[in-house]
Amino acid sequence: MKFNIKNTQVYGLDKAFKASGNPMRTIIDNGEVTEKDIQRAIGLAKTRGGEGHDNFLKGILVQMDVTAPLFWWKQAQRYHWFDFVSSQSTMHCLLKFDVESQCVEETNRDILAIMKHLIDVYNAMSDDDPTKKNKWRELVASLPCGFCLGATMTTNYQQLKTMYYQRRYHKLMEWHIFTAWCEELPYFKELLGLE
């Protein structure tokens, strides 16, 4: 299995471009987006994170489906506004997955053989076996970090800006795929001054 991002939807781009001008207005402008609005938003978005000038980026919402190995999810979960809408569940589906095909190709084959053995032992146990709960715990605790799960996520351009700058040169190729995906989002490269 490979890391992937699919079914991307972006919301609120025009509204956020208009809102970027609110600090200088006495009346909120809900008219059509003008070239002036776009250029102002691009200028403000290029400012350093934490200055507050790019806060309007929070209004550009993004939803997507991400399939990633557990080792990537542990890193991605550090971002406050990268939220799970819903995800696949190991508790409900571990025994339904083909664990080997659900793992990245670099997952050690010996570990996959151990997982297959643990699943076979668990499946052979009777439901009234008092050790079955402990065997389940061993099974879940032994799941390799290369195991991939999918999730529907929601975030915004301000969070993606932070993630992009913090992860674009990361060791994991998954982050390179992620940052390349960011660059394909509408106006993302322009807003970050990447062109």
Side-chain angles (χ1 to χ4, degrees), residues 1-4 66-76 102-104 106-107 144-150 172-174:
M1 181 158 279
K2 293 186 184 282
F3 177 89
N4 67 69
V66 180
T67 300
L70 298 178
F71 60 77
W72 186 86
W73 282 117
K74 288 191 291 186
Q75 293 180 1
Q102 200 74 20
C103 288
V104 295
E106 298 85 356
T107 306
C145 283
F147 185 80
C148 293
L149 285 175
L172 293 177
M173 66 88 174
E174 288 83 0

Side-chain angles (χ1 to χ4, degrees), residues 114-115 118 133-143:
I114 292 168
M115 281 301 297
L118 291 173
K133 283 185 181 179
N134 291 339
K135 189 51 74 176
W136 174 257
R137 188 167 171 82
E138 179 185 1
L139 184 58
V140 171
S142 300
L143 194 61

Side-chain angles (χ1 to χ4, degrees), residues 33 38 47 54 60 62 69 116 133 135-136 178 184 187:
V33 174
I38 294 169
T47 60
D54 64 353
I60 306 171
V62 183
K116 182 178 181 344
K133 283 185 181 179
K135 189 51 74 176
W136 174 257
F178 185 87
E184 298 301 316
Y187 282 98

Side-chain angles (χ1 to χ4, degrees), residues 35-150:
E35 186 60 29
K36 181 180 176 182
D37 294 321
I38 294 169
Q39 291 309 312
R40 179 186 54 251
I42 288 171
L44 292 170
K46 292 177 188 175
T47 60
R48 287 184 300 148
E51 291 183 351
H53 301 299
D54 64 353
N55 278 350
F56 76 94
L57 292 172
K58 287 189 260 185
I60 306 171
L61 305 178
V62 183
Q63 291 186 336
M64 73 294 258
D65 295 328
V66 180
T67 300
L70 298 178
F71 60 77
W72 186 86
W73 282 117
K74 288 191 291 186
Q75 293 180 1
Q77 288 173 353
R78 74 176 302 277
Y79 294 102
H80 186 67
W81 296 112
F82 190 55
D83 293 327
F84 285 88
V85 174
S86 188
S87 67
Q88 291 178 310
S89 169
T90 53
M91 290 298 132
H92 295 297
C93 295
L94 180 55
L95 298 174
K96 297 175 186 174
F97 285 121
D98 173 5
V99 173
E100 184 172 347
S101 67
Q102 200 74 20
C103 288
V104 295
E105 64 184 35
E106 298 85 356
T107 306
N108 185 291
R109 297 294 146 204
D110 294 337
I111 293 170
L112 291 172
I114 292 168
M115 281 301 297
K116 182 178 181 344
H117 171 73
L118 291 173
I119 290 169
D120 290 345
V121 168
Y122 180 84
N123 283 334
M125 297 175 85
S126 92
D127 286 340
D128 22 334
D129 186 327
T131 65
K132 192 165 186 175
K133 283 185 181 179
N134 291 339
K135 189 51 74 176
W136 174 257
R137 188 167 171 82
E138 179 185 1
L139 184 58
V140 171
S142 300
L143 194 61
C145 283
F147 185 80
C148 293
L149 285 175

